[in-house]
Amino acid sequence: MDFIADKIQKPTIYQLVYEQIKNAIIRGDWAVGDRLPSEQALAKTFGVNRLSVRLALQKLNTLGVLETKIGDGTYVKKFDMSQYLGEVSIFFSRPELLDDVADFRKLIETECCRLAIQKATEAEVGELERICREYSRQCAVLKGNYSEENLAELARTDLKFHSTICEFSHNELYFNAYTVAKDIIYRYLIIILRKRIENWKQRDDDTIDDRRHYGIYRAIKEKDFKTCKKILQKIVDHKIEL
């Protein structure tokens, strides 16, 4: 049997510079907020030309590791995975995924609620209450004056509430997974809230209200996972007919 192998690619100079700078940041040689030496100084340090340094810095800027301020310099930036994933989430927002949203939310959000009960600080629980109050205000506005703009605002606040719980789980992987799915979840919420509004108009029921969100907030505050899980699954257990 013949041996098959890919050709070994020789790294470019700028890629080597990129790796050196990235590793220096990982080691803590430059901390968040530190200004890096000038391109000229870095080129001298690495023994390369300024173009190679500039390309390496541009790549780190694109990744959100560095921030270059015109006329000032290049600084180490706190890396925000959620911002980075938000840029690519559109590629996952296919219509056929809408029907999977409920299953995804039950899995991720239930576990994030459990962790938030264990790990959320008093201030963070207070932030959930603030979002509940805003959601309540927007529910009242929507009932009194239905519009697509008001509906979109309510959906954004709904998403903010659940996303914040994932953030307060203090599990970065769960939060990042939720961030990837935020666009498709938002589209899902718009459809669900519109259906609830239609039910409310037809039967004058109370499916557009804030009680369940407040219930989740109180359950987290009181460290009652059983109640929290029960309310959450009532909120997210919806399938969409495409």
Side-chain angles (χ1 to χ4, degrees), residues 79-91:
F79 182 70
D80 185 354
M81 177 65 81
S82 63
Q83 180 179 351
Y84 180 74
L85 291 175
E87 293 294 324
V88 299
S89 63
I90 187 65
F91 296 107

Side-chain angles (χ1 to χ4, degrees), residues 2 7 16 20 27 43 45 51 54 59 65 70 82 91 116 118 121 126-127 136 140 147 149 161 163 171 184 231:
D2 294 335
K7 290 184 178 180
L16 294 173
Q20 290 272 7
R27 289 195 306 268
T45 298
L51 178 60
R54 186 174 300 126
K59 183 173 182 179
V65 177
I70 303 298
S82 63
F91 296 107
Q118 296 176 1
T121 65
E127 173 64 10
S136 179
S147 70
E149 182 179 349
F161 178 77
S163 176
N171 184 299
I184 196 77
I231 298 172

Side-chain angles (χ1 to χ4, degrees), residues 131-139 154 157-158 209 213:
I131 298 173
C132 281
R133 289 199 302 269
E134 178 62 16
Y135 187 85
S136 179
R137 182 191 70 80
Q138 291 173 4
C139 281
L154 184 66
T157 302
D158 197 342
D209 62 27
H213 289 80

Side-chain angles (χ1 to χ4, degrees), residues 37-235:
S38 67
E39 288 182 3
Q40 184 176 355
L42 287 171
K44 184 176 180 180
T45 298
F46 294 122
V48 299
N49 59 47
R50 289 181 63 180
L51 178 60
S52 295
V53 171
R54 186 174 300 126
L55 290 172
L57 295 179
Q58 287 175 353
K59 183 173 182 179
L60 289 163
N61 269 275
T62 301
L63 292 175
V65 177
L66 297 178
E67 179 181 17
T68 298
K69 302 177 182 179
I70 303 298
D72 187 1
T74 299
Y75 292 80
V76 179
K77 182 181 177 182
K78 183 178 181 180
F79 182 70
D80 185 354
M81 177 65 81
S82 63
Q83 180 179 351
Y84 180 74
L85 291 175
E87 293 294 324
V88 299
S89 63
I90 187 65
F91 296 107
F92 298 90
S93 299
R94 302 190 307 275
E96 60 268 27
L97 292 180
L98 276 173
D99 199 42
D100 296 335
V101 173
D103 293 334
F104 174 85
R105 293 187 67 196
K106 280 190 287 186
L107 179 67
I108 296 294
E109 292 186 38
T110 299
E111 181 62 12
C112 284
C113 280
R114 185 185 69 81
L115 292 173
I117 286 172
Q118 296 176 1
K119 300 180 179 181
T121 65
E122 185 176 342
E124 288 171 341
V125 174
E127 173 64 10
L128 290 177
E129 183 183 21
R130 186 198 67 75
I131 298 173
C132 281
R133 289 199 302 269
E134 178 62 16
Y135 187 85
S136 179
R137 182 191 70 80
Q138 291 173 4
C139 281
V141 169
L142 191 62
K143 283 185 176 183
N145 180 26
Y146 177 83
S147 70
E148 287 298 307
E149 182 179 349
N150 289 339
L151 178 67
E153 185 178 11
L154 184 66
R156 285 192 292 269
T157 302
D158 197 342
L159 181 63
K160 174 67 175 176
F161 178 77
H162 295 281
S163 176
T164 299
I165 291 175
C166 292
E167 180 182 358
F168 292 166
S169 73
H170 296 282
N171 184 299
E172 190 172 348
L173 289 179
Y174 283 146
F175 181 59
N176 289 340
Y178 198 84
T179 298
V180 170
K182 280 176 73 171
D183 285 351
I184 196 77
I185 294 174
Y186 173 76
R187 291 170 59 193
Y188 166 91
L189 288 172
I190 287 288
I191 296 171
I192 292 298
L193 288 172
R194 187 177 287 119
K195 287 185 175 182
R196 288 176 177 173
I197 279 288
E198 291 172 358
N199 290 338
W200 172 70
K201 287 180 177 179
Q202 293 171 4
R203 300 196 298 269
D204 195 28
D205 63 24
D206 57 1
T207 52
I208 294 292
D209 62 27
D210 55 6
R211 291 179 300 175
R212 290 176 176 173
H213 289 80
Y214 269 114
I216 290 175
Y217 149 70
R218 284 191 292 267
I220 291 175
K221 182 179 181 180
E222 296 167 6
K223 301 187 182 303
D224 182 356
F225 176 63
K226 182 178 180 180
T227 298
C228 188
K229 179 179 179 180
K230 182 179 180 181
I231 298 172
L232 177 67
Q233 298 209 350
K234 284 183 179 179
I235 288 179

